[in-house]
Amino acid sequence: MRFDLPVSRLPTAWRNVLPDLAPPLEPPLHPRTREPIGPDDLAPLFPMGLILQEVSADPWVDIPGAILDILRLWRPTPLVRAERLERALGTPARIYFKDESVSPAGSHKPNTAVPQAFYNKAEGIPRLTTETGAGQWGTALSFACTQFELDCKVYMVRASYQQKPYRKILMETWGSEVVPSPVDDPDHPGSLGLAISDAVRDAATRDDTHYALGSVLNHVLLHQTIIGLEAKEQLVLAGETRPDVVIASCGGGSNLGGIALPFLEDTDIRLVAVEPSSCPTLTEGQFDYDFGDTAGMTPLMAMYTLGHDFVPPAIHAGGLRYHGDAPIISALVKSGRMEAIAYPQGKTFEAAVQFANTEGKVPAPETGHAIRAVIDEALAAKELGEERVILFNYSGHGFLDLSAYDDYLNGRLDA
Ligand SMILES: Cc1ncc(COP(=O)(O)O)c(C=O)c1O
């Protein structure tokens, strides 16, 4: 059963939780002086429109019309009740998912790529650089840049560049230049932290270029709140007063923040982050100041981290292979408002395949992490005989990750 909002009900403002956080977030620090940074320190990399959102104290931020015009190409996205999965599990829980896979790039990432391209264009910046792991963020930014006629150069983690040619082709179709990273070591398989260093170095050394990040930062989570704002209205259409638990996979924290932050003030609603046990940032990392990249060029952020030189194993959920996490998500986990759970990848593919065989949709490996937790939550509700309402974010489809399914189905997957 599917619950759609009319296009006329597309949210026109993003929800900013920064003023609600107690204690407030710790400020980012300059990478060399280790003093708190101000807007001017970020100006070589980001447009002022985004820098101001990064520190905004307004609970609502209006979405400019030019951004809404593009978001309307696929938003509002459907909210679907996963009744076939419920029946297969025999659970009294009601499971709803927000289908972010319907965007042009196939994931939630364009929700922030479009505003990021817009604010750069508005300030006269003609070129953006970014990094991408498995390619979801790179494709989203490439799509957004082509909408605003910006040049885009994507530094793609070399292992993915070699193993996953289709995301690269998609980025090139949308006009981007794609190169393998690290650029200075052709034998290195690469990592997200190294690719961020490459993209930041490129942007910092050219006046005509800014850098765009697909997760972690406050403004990225702000843009993604459109997911939870829509879901809130759609749950009412479905006859629910509120969810009992909101679940999403967590790499840098943007799809999780997007669906969960609009529910933050109702403290009876549980919020759950799901990560890989091979990159267990929230469940086993330290809460500390750390760099966002490997080379130590970005500001230091207060977050859960495995160390900026941590190189996670090459699991298929490339978007979850990040050593750190969003400061907002980290603060919520630290304060106990949000829970975190980790799964080995075999268990997540088992869940993803069960979802594909009930609901019909083949999820991205990242999304499979959320589905694993949803299934376990629904089975726990069955055990207790509880009518739990579970909401989760279907962050992307897996059509360009089929080699991962091939590995799983043929017993070649590392646990
Ligand atoms: C489909 C999908 N889900 C989840 C993620 C994790 O990122 P985030 O934690 O920023 O949502 C990614 C990142 O690339 C992704 O592509």
Side-chain angles (χ1 to χ4, degrees):
M1 180 89 169
R2 157 180 172 157
F3 302 92
D4 285 310
L5 280 182
V7 176
S8 59
R9 299 270 290 280
L10 183 68
T12 54
W14 293 297
R15 177 75 172 92
N16 176 27
V17 298
L18 286 180
D20 305 357
L21 295 180
L25 287 189
E26 314 259 6
L29 304 181
H30 193 283
R32 281 192 307 282
T33 65
R34 302 205 167 218
E35 294 294 324
I37 53 167
D40 290 346
D41 293 309
L42 293 173
L45 293 183
F46 301 105
M48 210 37 85
L50 294 177
I51 295 172
L52 294 176
Q53 289 177 359
E54 195 61 22
V55 294
S56 170
D58 299 327
W60 293 96
V61 176
D62 284 340
I63 309 178
I67 295 175
L68 291 172
D69 282 346
I70 298 174
L71 295 183
R72 272 189 212 102
L73 291 174
W74 72 96
R75 304 207 72 87
T77 60
L79 180 80
V80 182
R81 181 161 167 201
E83 287 165 303
R84 288 167 181 77
L85 177 63
E86 289 170 15
R87 276 202 293 279
L89 298 172
T91 178
R94 296 192 291 283
I95 302 172
Y96 295 88
F97 65 92
K98 186 71 171 142
D99 189 358
E100 291 298 306
S101 74
V102 300
S103 79
S107 76
H108 63 296
K109 299 277 177 182
N111 297 331
T112 183
V114 171
Q116 291 195 43
F118 168 83
Y119 288 107
N120 277 291
K121 176 78 176 184
E123 292 179 30
I125 292 295
R127 180 175 179 269
L128 293 180
T129 61
T130 197
E131 73 294 326
T132 198
Q136 288 272 17
W137 167 242
T139 50
L141 191 70
S142 301
F143 157 72
C145 282
T146 194
Q147 291 293 321
F148 290 104
E149 296 176 344
L150 300 178
D151 291 337
C152 181
K153 180 163 178 176
V154 182
Y155 292 87
M156 185 170 187
V157 172
R158 180 171 278 104
S160 305
Y161 183 91
Q162 288 164 344
Q163 288 161 9
K164 304 195 171 179
Y166 294 114
R167 285 263 163 215
K168 169 178 161 277
I169 296 167
L170 203 44
M171 291 185 255
E172 289 172 345
T173 303
W174 277 318
S176 287
E177 182 190 352
V178 186
V179 292
S181 163
V183 282
D184 54 5
D185 184 354
D187 296 325
H188 197 297
S191 73
L192 220 39
L194 283 163
I196 296 176
S197 301
D198 277 338
V200 167
R201 194 177 296 111
D202 179 326
T205 50
R206 282 179 60 157
D207 286 344
D208 68 344
T209 303
H210 274 168
Y211 166 70
L213 186 61
S215 189
V216 180
L217 298 178
N218 301 341
H219 68 261
V220 179
L221 272 62
L222 172 78
H223 301 153
Q224 294 292 359
T225 59
I226 196 160
I227 303 172
L229 293 169
E230 287 177 6
K232 241 182 176 175
E233 286 203 48
Q234 287 162 305
L235 280 174
V236 175
L237 293 182
E240 306 288 359
T241 41
R242 60 177 178 77
D244 294 300
V245 54
V246 181
I247 297 174
S249 64
C250 186
S254 74
N255 90 90
L256 169 65
I259 193 154
L261 295 180
F263 294 98
L264 188 62
E265 56 204 337
D266 185 342
T267 50
D268 287 337
I269 301 176
R270 289 169 49 218
L271 311 176
V272 181
V274 193
E275 60 184 14
S277 39
S278 59
C279 189
T281 315
L282 295 168
T283 48
E284 288 182 39
Q286 300 284 324
F287 187 88
D288 206 349
Y289 270 106
D290 198 6
F291 299 105
D293 69 324
T294 306
M297 294 162 67
T298 71
L300 293 146
M301 290 172 291
M303 60 182 178
Y304 279 100
T305 174
L306 295 163
H308 61 277
D309 51 1
F310 177 80
V311 179
I315 55 167
H316 286 288
L320 305 183
R321 293 177 70 234
Y322 185 58
H323 67 272
D325 242 305
I328 293 179
I329 299 295
S330 297
L332 292 173
V333 170
K334 185 160 182 273
S335 73
R337 176 68 187 90
M338 186 176 272
E339 302 162 32
I341 180 169
Y343 285 108
Q345 71 172 343
K347 302 284 285 178
T348 67
F349 275 95
E350 188 185 290
V353 169
Q354 185 168 18
F355 192 80
N357 281 289
T358 48
E359 294 302 314
K361 297 178 86 74
V362 178
E366 291 84 357
T367 313
H369 286 68
I371 296 171
R372 173 77 266 163
V374 166
I375 290 176
D376 287 356
E377 190 70 34
L379 291 175
K382 176 180 174 179
E383 198 71 20
L384 296 168
E386 271 181 25
E387 279 196 22
R388 234 172 255 183
V389 178
I390 303 169
L391 170 66
F392 80 96
N393 205 14
Y394 189 83
S395 57
H397 67 63
F399 290 166
L400 299 181
D401 300 283
L402 292 180
S403 61
Y405 281 87
D406 191 37
D407 283 351
Y408 172 71
L409 296 171
N410 292 290
R412 289 192 302 268
L413 203 68
D414 298 333

